[in-house]
Amino acid sequence: MSQLNKKFLISGCGISWSGQERRTWVNILRAAGVKITDVGGPAVSNQWILNKTILELLNNRYDTVVIQLTSIGKLDVEVTDERMTELVQPDPIRNFVHKNVWPSSVSDIHPSKQLYNKWLYSPSLEIEDVVVKLRLLNAWCIQNQIDLYVYQGYEIAWSTDQIQLMSSVKLDNTILHYEYINSEHYKYHDHTNTVPCLSYQFALAHKIATM
């Protein structure tokens, strides 16, 4: 593998996050000897994925950064005792907390999420936020001689202008979710979870290790 001697920073959602029971491509590369820091999380939003990457880069040096974007429409919520009781514990889909944050994802069981989605959520502004952060992160990585690679876990409806703004970003056009469900690996999928199966994770690990 060409990446064995490099120090990696990884950030993504459950497709990539190495701290879960199911093994991902991050676990595979780490087992192969790649030095990896993983700041992603389960079901987290792009805001989490990009912010945690930037904060980590301000404090530590890396050779390569791999961003695995997730779908838009996710909302991360700081947890209090009241929110734990009212929002998290009763939710049949997202009833867990990661680092004192409820990654509510697209779950809208609670009326507050329903009202947020109806009256407050602004997808075009969320996508714009991702574009701006990617553009600035890419410029920072170029300045500091860090390789940045961006993968799309799920489809994001970029505008033509946004694609142009990100022309210098190494953005892989493959949508990992679509690639997975249309592959031979999908017959091994555990439908109790959205995390891709191990055989696909090995294929993804090979792809990233040889990029």
Side-chain angles (χ1 to χ4, degrees):
M1 292 184 181
S2 62
Q3 307 294 336
L4 279 176
N5 296 322
K6 295 183 179 180
K7 188 178 179 183
F8 269 63
L9 174 61
I10 309 293
S11 192
C13 68
I15 292 175
S16 302
W17 182 55
S18 61
Q20 59 191 301
E21 181 180 351
R22 291 169 173 80
R23 304 297 85 183
T24 72
W25 63 269
V26 178
N27 300 103
I28 294 166
L29 291 185
R30 189 178 280 148
V34 180
K35 300 174 183 177
I36 295 178
T37 298
D38 184 356
V39 295
V44 293
S45 69
N46 286 313
Q47 180 185 50
W48 173 288
I49 290 168
L50 290 167
N51 285 357
K52 297 303 182 185
T53 300
I54 294 167
L55 290 171
E56 177 64 21
L57 284 172
L58 292 176
N59 293 308
N60 295 290
R61 169 73 192 184
Y62 293 89
D63 302 302
T64 303
V65 175
V66 179
I67 299 290
Q68 176 255 295
L69 297 175
T70 190
S71 57
I72 66 167
K74 294 184 174 182
L75 179 66
D76 300 327
V77 180
E78 288 184 329
V79 174
T80 62
D81 290 343
E82 184 177 16
R83 289 176 176 179
M84 176 67 77
T85 302
E86 181 68 25
L87 295 175
V88 181
Q89 293 176 344
D91 196 293
I93 302 173
R94 302 296 182 199
N95 54 6
F96 58 86
V97 171
H98 178 63
K99 296 187 176 180
N100 203 46
V101 166
W102 176 44
S104 71
S105 189
V106 295
S107 178
D108 65 351
I109 304 302
H110 195 273
S112 63
K113 276 297 295 291
Q114 297 171 20
L115 291 170
Y116 168 79
N117 289 335
K118 181 176 181 179
W119 297 111
L120 301 177
Y121 176 56
S122 305
S124 62
L125 295 180
E126 182 183 355
I127 295 174
E128 181 180 70
D129 184 71
V130 172
V131 171
V132 169
K133 286 177 180 175
L134 279 179
R135 176 68 184 267
L136 292 174
L137 176 60
N138 187 61
W140 196 90
C141 286
I142 291 172
Q143 182 179 357
N144 289 276
Q145 298 181 315
I146 300 170
D147 292 324
L148 172 66
Y149 300 92
V150 181
Y151 293 87
Q152 301 181 76
Y154 300 91
E155 186 173 16
I156 297 177
W158 314 110
S159 69
T160 302
D161 289 343
Q162 288 169 341
I163 292 173
Q164 181 61 37
L165 276 173
M166 295 189 295
S167 61
S168 62
V169 179
K170 295 175 182 175
L171 177 66
D172 193 289
N173 290 324
T174 304
I175 307 301
L176 300 181
H177 174 67
Y178 292 157
E179 179 183 65
Y180 173 54
I181 64 175
N182 290 312
S183 72
E184 61 179 13
H185 304 286
Y186 194 65
K187 64 185 177 183
Y188 304 111
H189 182 65
D190 177 1
H191 291 276
T192 64
N193 194 286
T194 58
V195 179
C197 70
L198 189 58
S199 64
Y200 178 75
Q201 297 286 0
F202 269 100
L204 193 53
H206 180 266
K207 176 180 182 178
I208 292 172
T210 56
M211 60 191 174

